Structures are given as C-alpha cells and as structure tokens.
Amino acid sequence: MNSTAPTTQASPEWIIKFDTPIYTDANADAVPSRPLPLAGLRFAVKDNIDVASVPTTAACPAYSYTPASHAHVVERLLQAGAGIVGKTNLDQFACGLNGSRSPYGAVPNSFNADYVSGGSSSGSAYAVATGQVDFSLGTDTAGSGRVPAGLNNIVGIKPSRGLLSARGVVPAAPSADCVSIFARTVATAVQVLQVARGYDAADPYSRQLDVSQSPFPPRFRFGVPDVLNFFGDAAAESAFEDAVSRLVSLGGVQVTIAYAPLAQAASLLYDSALVAERYAALREFVDAHDADIIEPVRGILTGGRKFSAADLVDAQRRLRELAQRVTPMWDDIDVLLVPTAPTHYTIAEMQADPVALNRNLGAYTNFVNLLDYAAISVPSSIRADGLPFGVTFIGPCGSDLRIADLGQRYHHATGLGMGATGRPLPPAVPLFDAPAPATVRVAVVGAHLSGMPLNKQLTERHAVLVAETRTAPDYRLYALPGTTPPKPGMVRVAPNEGSAIIVEVWEMPVEHYGSFVAMIPWPLGIGTITLADGSSVQGFACDALALASAEDISHYGGWRAYIAAR
C-alpha cells in the first residue's frame, strides 16, 4: 500500500489534498490501463472514514488519530482501481445537515458561496460538484448523504443499512449509520455501490442483502406526502410541483400518502431516548473532552446522558409501532417521492439559528434509516434564484438498484448539467446486467380496467398499463347478470359480425400470471384475443352458456360507456 501525508495547505476547496493519490500496491503504477471496474477514477473520503496512515479527525482536532488500516469500504474501492486524492471537511462527528459545524470552517454551496452546502458530508459533496473528484464517500445517519447532494446538483445514494460495511467509520448512531456515495451521475454512483457493497463479518451491523431486482417498471405509482412544508420557500415549493409533473410524464401515477407517522418516526431521532446512541457511540471521548466539542454538537451528544435504559426501550418500542403503521403504505406505491431539502439557507442564517434551521433541512430525511429504507437523491432543477433543487426517491430495504434505475431516468429527463461543472450529462447506461424478467400481456375489458373495482388485482402483481386499444371487429360484449362487482363477458363471433370492443392491455411479470388467472371465476376465463392491429394477446373470454340471460351491450363499444350510461 502506498501511503502519503496530507499537505499542509489551508484549503478553501474543502478537501485536504494528498501530495500523491493513494492506490494499492497492486494498481499504483497502472491504474488507467488495468481492467479494474474503477480504474482511473479519483475519489475523496469524508474525514470520519479511515484511510491508513492519514489522520482521522471527524472535524475535532482533539479526537484525531492515525489508523493503521483502511476502512473496509475504502479498501474495496482501492482494490477496484480507484485512487484517493484527499479527505473532506464535515459537520463535527457527522452531527448536522448544513456543513457549518466545523472548526475548519463552513463549507460553501458550490453554486453560491453565501449558502450552505448541506451536511454533514459537506466537503464530500462540494468536491464532487466542483469536479475535483469523480466520486466521494460520505456517511448518512439522518440525511447527510442526501441533503448535500440535493443542494449541490449531484447524486447521493443512501444505501440500505448494512449493505456497505461501516468498519473503520467513526460512529454517529451505529444502528442507523450508512456509508453514502456522491457522484455527478447515477451510473457512476451505482458503479461505486456495486464495488463497495458486501457483507463484512467484522461489522456487527453488516447484512447480507439481495438487491438484484428488476429495472423499475415503465408505469409505476409514486407516493407524495399529504402535508408538505417548505418553510416559506416559494421557489422550492414550485420546484417540487414541477418534479411531480415530470415524474407523471415519465409514467408515474401520483398517490397521496399520510406523512404524519413518517414525521413522528423522524422526530424520535433527536427528540427521544434514541439520541442516547449518539452519546454512547463517543461516550469515552465526550466525557473526557467535553470542552473540545463545538456547539451545538456538544449539546446534542451530551443530551444523551439524561436518558435511562427504560427510556430507550420505550423509544425503540414507539419506533416499531410506527414502522408497523407505515408498512401498508408500500402496498399502494412503488416508490416515495420527497424534496431532498425543503429550502436553502445562507451560512449566516444557519449560524444565527443553527438548531431550528438544521432541523428544517432534515424534514424529509430523518425517518429513512430509522425505518430501514433505501434512498437516492437526484438533481431536479435549478431554481430561478440559481440554487439547485433535488428530489429523493425512497424505497423498501434492498430496492437500492431499482430506485437508482428510476433516479437515472428522472435525472436525464431534467436536462441539467453535472454538478457545478457546466458539463452536460453523458448518455444513460443500463444499470442491470440481467435481462428484464419475462412478462405476458393481458387484455382486460371490464372490472379490471383502470379505476375499476378489480384493477388492484393487476397493480398488486406489478402489472403496468401499456396501451388502450380495441379488439378486431369480431367480438360481442354482454353485461353478465348477478356478478359482484358487475362484470361483462366478451365472446368471439364470425369475422366482421361483431364489434370492435375497447380494451386495455397490461403487461405482467410471468411469475405473477398464474395467481392472477387462478382468481378468475366462471363463466370468465383467459383465452387468445385478436386486437384491431391483427396482433394477439391473452385476454378475458366468456363461456357462451352464461349469455342466455345476459344483455348485449356491444353497441356501447366498451364497458366504461355502458357503466356511464347506467
């Protein structure tokens, strides 16, 4: 391993650069040409993550130590061919979301130096946004891997907890900590994620997680909180409205979700005995060096002393209650959309009111790790005042690659450049090596149409609407008596002796098709339906024996028109 000491330059660039980039011995002399997945990429590391022979300070000089080995995640990246060029400033002990809680100075926003960069991974985001490195590592306990991304027009991946090892990372709240990844494109961030992830038996919070899911579907349902607070920032509110419209144009259907239980879970991070974990993580140092910790970090850490073990048990039980309460949300949506940060503050504003304004920046981030979700923040727009605005896609644990796929589609639809560099985005690249899962197309004609009572039988099996069309003019449609909910029956007749009936064609994963067919009651069934363009799909058919007392409604042209006429 080639090591180096950091330079002594005072760095307004918010990255302490090394005299020579650090590589492993195996690739130090030939990084650009070796067939390694990250060959030629340069990265920076948040200064609460260990790099061998380089001091780790966590933005607290009295805490500084020099590790003998790399953090697990750093070692994996070096072995993949990447090189470390420096370490970055942060909110002290990763305790903050704004980037101004450091004795080394407040990190400015990459677009307007009067504004905060977001934290605690402030320097890591700044180094990526300004083009100094290809990617960087941060950490995320309450939003530190997302807020700086949203405020600097870059991508921030907050992995599922335990997907990346935290061995060699200064703990903040170990049960909620994640190593995060910043990059200017989703593709680069995912490439790093794929290298960095992996089970580590030496990390008590590491997990073996399966993230090998299929790409995000072309049609999907996205949740939006029923109550949104932008703290008086009209520009941010307008930017989020535009984001919702863009996601609809990309195939999304907006679903309103109750935000109250998520907000209640978020409040537990600092306003309950859960904050005791932050104190416990650094107890020995905090007790011995109280005066060496800056405010308001000191107040947060020492505030954990006042809670009892019983208080902590109560808080953990309350969190589990809220987790159970919100779990059904995922039955109705495929992804949750929130503003990465609801507003943007100047450094002066933040320093004048550091607790309340910091809390505002985390309005839509704090619950994510507590509830064991994955998230990715992607750029959304540049506001009229020239400041970036980002959105975050949140999914269940293990959905990391799936929501990244949607994030890449969204990012490329914005037309934005990369970070603060002014350079355009490169073409999107496939994020999945495996082919998309096999699907089957099914034509529905009645109660399974969009908005009809049985449509959920399709959507809960991840079917997506691909077309509204008509059959060939060889079918007749009947209203079947005594069915609940009301259903039609469609039968084939001699060529050109029927009508062209309106149908919807839905695409469903083959793995779910059998359970769908098994739910269809007599006299209905599945057969082959010919569409107006001559193509054939699977579709609903009806046993002719059931039509004796049925009303012929073919002249309506479809089930919706018949229902409307009733």
Side-chain angles (χ1 to χ4, degrees), residues 128 134 274 337 400 410 456 509 555:
V128 169
D134 298 298
L274 294 186
L337 173 74
D400 304 71
Y410 183 93
K456 190 174 182 180
H555 57 285

Side-chain angles (χ1 to χ4, degrees), residues 234-515:
E237 184 172 7
S238 177
F240 188 69
E241 291 172 354
D242 292 343
V244 170
S245 298
R246 179 177 294 117
L247 202 54
V248 170
S249 72
L250 292 175
V253 175
Q254 181 180 347
V255 178
T256 301
I257 62 102
Y259 191 65
L262 298 176
Q264 291 165 20
S267 69
L268 293 174
L269 190 63
Y270 291 108
D271 297 336
S272 79
L274 294 186
V275 77
E277 187 176 10
R278 283 190 178 264
Y279 167 63
L282 297 164
R283 176 169 49 184
E284 183 177 344
F285 179 81
V286 172
D287 289 347
H289 297 271
D290 187 293
D292 293 313
I293 305 172
I294 63 174
E295 288 289 3
V297 176
R298 179 170 60 242
I300 294 170
L301 296 179
T302 59
R305 291 170 173 159
K306 66 184 179 183
F307 295 102
S308 69
D311 293 332
L312 180 58
V313 170
D314 287 343
Q316 290 172 333
R317 182 176 64 248
R318 176 58 177 157
L319 179 59
R320 291 307 311 150
E321 290 171 349
L322 290 167
Q324 296 281 45
R325 182 176 166 190
V326 300
T327 294
M329 172 182 73
W330 299 109
D331 294 334
D332 298 320
I333 62 173
D334 299 296
V335 68
L336 176 61
L337 173 74
V338 297
T340 297
T343 186
H344 207 153
Y345 296 114
T346 65
I347 294 173
E349 288 171 333
M350 182 61 64
Q351 291 177 335
D353 193 1
V355 176
L357 299 194
N358 186 85
R359 180 183 292 113
N360 293 349
L361 289 181
Y364 303 106
T365 61
N366 288 359
F367 67 89
V368 177
N369 281 354
L370 294 180
L371 295 176
D372 202 13
Y373 299 153
I376 180 171
S377 174
V378 295
S380 185
S381 61
I382 303 297
R383 303 166 13 154
D385 57 9
L387 294 172
F389 179 81
V391 295
T392 294
F393 297 111
I394 300 169
C397 177
S399 65
D400 304 71
L401 298 183
R402 200 163 186 259
I403 60 174
D405 188 49
L406 176 63
Q408 179 174 243
R409 283 161 52 186
Y410 183 93
H411 189 194
H412 280 75
T414 65
L416 294 171
M418 294 193 294
T421 67
R423 298 197 297 270
L425 280 174
V429 300
L431 302 183
F432 289 83
D433 296 329
T439 59
V440 60
R441 293 194 170 191
V442 185
V444 299
V445 70
H448 288 87
L449 294 168
S450 300
M452 291 293 180
L454 299 182
N455 182 252
K456 190 174 182 180
Q457 292 181 359
L458 291 168
T459 58
E460 67 187 8
R461 287 167 174 78
H462 305 294
V464 294
L465 178 64
V466 295
E468 180 182 286
T469 185
R470 292 179 180 268
T471 67
D474 306 335
Y475 296 88
R476 303 205 69 82
L477 191 66
Y478 294 83
L480 299 175
T483 55
T484 304
K487 301 181 186 71
M490 188 171 71
V491 296
R492 187 160 194 156
V493 295
N496 298 313
E497 291 187 7
S499 299
I501 306 299
I502 294 174
V503 295
E504 288 180 352
V505 179
W506 288 72
E507 191 161 39
M508 179 186 300
V510 168
E511 61 184 301
H512 299 308
Y513 185 55
S515 66

